[in-house]
Amino acid sequence: MLEETPVELARVYSRKQDSPTDMHGRAHVAANLAFAVRVVDADAQFRRAACCALVAGGIDALEFASVEQYLASVPDERVGCIVLEPQLLNRLELPTSSTTRASHMRLPVIAVAASATAQEAVNAFKAGVSDFLFKPVDAAELLAAATQAIRACEQQRAAELGHQALRQRFDLLTPKERKVLALMVEGHGNRHIAIALNSAERTIKAHRGNLLAKLETRSLTHLINAYRSVLPLLSRDGHHNTRTPQ
C-alpha cells in the first residue's frame, strides 16, 4: 500500500476502483502520455494505488500482475521506468535474443519491497536499480523516484539515438577511410599514415577531410572522440576491422 495520500489523490483512487482499464492495464485518468511507469506487482491494491499516485502526479501508469504478464505485453516504447519487487529482478535478465523482451528490459527499475536487509538493498543497486523504496510507499516519494528514473531514461535514449546516428554515418566510410581513421586515433600523422597505407600524403589529407565531413565532426579531437564512442558498437556487431596489418 501507499501511505496516506491527500484527499484529491484519494478521490482519484476511489474513481479508479470503479473504472475499467484497457488491455495494458492503463489507468483512465488524465496524465502526460509521453511517459509511462510500468508497475509490476502481485498485490492488486498496491498496483492500483501506485498507478493512481503516478497519474495524479501527471505520469501515465500501466499495471501488471507479474513479470510474465509484463514481458508478454505489447512493447511500449515510451520513456519511463519499471516499479518492481527486487526479488523479481532476475526474471527481467533472462538471456534471450527476443527484441520484444530487449525492449522491455531497457528501462530503469525502481525496486519496491515490503522488507529487505541492507545487503539485499545493496545487491539490488549492484544489479542496476535506480532507487529502492519500502512499502508502504509515500506517494510523493514514489513520484520523485519515478521522475528521476524518467530523466535518466530520457538521457539514455538520447545517447542511444546519438550512437545510432554516428554508427550510420560510420557505415558511409570507405575501407580506406576506416584505416586512415584508425591510424589517426593511434596518434599517427599524415606522413606515417601515407607510408603505412602506401599512399600519397595529399591523398591522406583528402581522406581526413572526408572523415570530418562524413562523421559531421568539427575537429580532430571531436573526430577521435566520435570514433571511440562508436567503437564498442562496431566490436559488438563484429564489423570492426580497421587496423592496418603491420
Side-chain angles (χ1 to χ4, degrees), residues 10 26 30 38 56 63 68 72 80 84 88 99 103 107 109 117 141 145 150 158 160 162 168 182 195-196 230-231 241:
R26 181 177 292 111
R38 294 78 168 164
E63 57 176 284
E68 289 72 21
L84 183 74
L88 301 179
T99 55
S103 174
L107 299 169
V109 174
T117 65
E141 188 178 18
I150 286 171
E160 289 175 355
Q168 291 172 346
I195 294 173
V230 80
L231 185 57
N241 185 23

Side-chain angles (χ1 to χ4, degrees), residues 142-197:
L142 177 61
L143 282 170
T147 300
Q148 183 175 354
I150 286 171
R151 188 176 298 115
C153 187
E154 285 184 305
Q155 293 171 349
Q156 178 185 345
R157 293 285 179 89
E160 289 175 355
L161 290 175
H163 289 154
Q164 181 181 358
L166 182 58
R167 172 59 199 272
Q168 291 172 346
R169 293 196 293 270
F170 188 89
D171 287 341
L172 298 175
L173 302 182
T174 66
K176 188 68 169 288
E177 288 169 343
R178 296 187 187 198
K179 291 179 180 179
V180 171
L181 176 57
L183 289 170
M184 287 171 58
V185 171
E186 291 177 359
H188 300 297
N190 291 342
R191 183 179 179 186
H192 178 94
I193 296 174
I195 294 173
L197 300 182

Side-chain angles (χ1 to χ4, degrees), residues 83 122 125 140 195 201 214 223:
V83 174
V122 169
F125 279 111
I195 294 173
E201 192 169 346
K214 287 184 177 181
L223 176 64

Side-chain angles (χ1 to χ4, degrees), residues 209-225:
N210 290 338
L211 288 168
L212 289 171
K214 287 184 177 181
L215 294 180
E216 299 180 15
T217 52
R218 302 179 299 275
S219 64
L220 177 59
T221 299
H222 190 194
L223 176 64
I224 292 174
N225 289 338

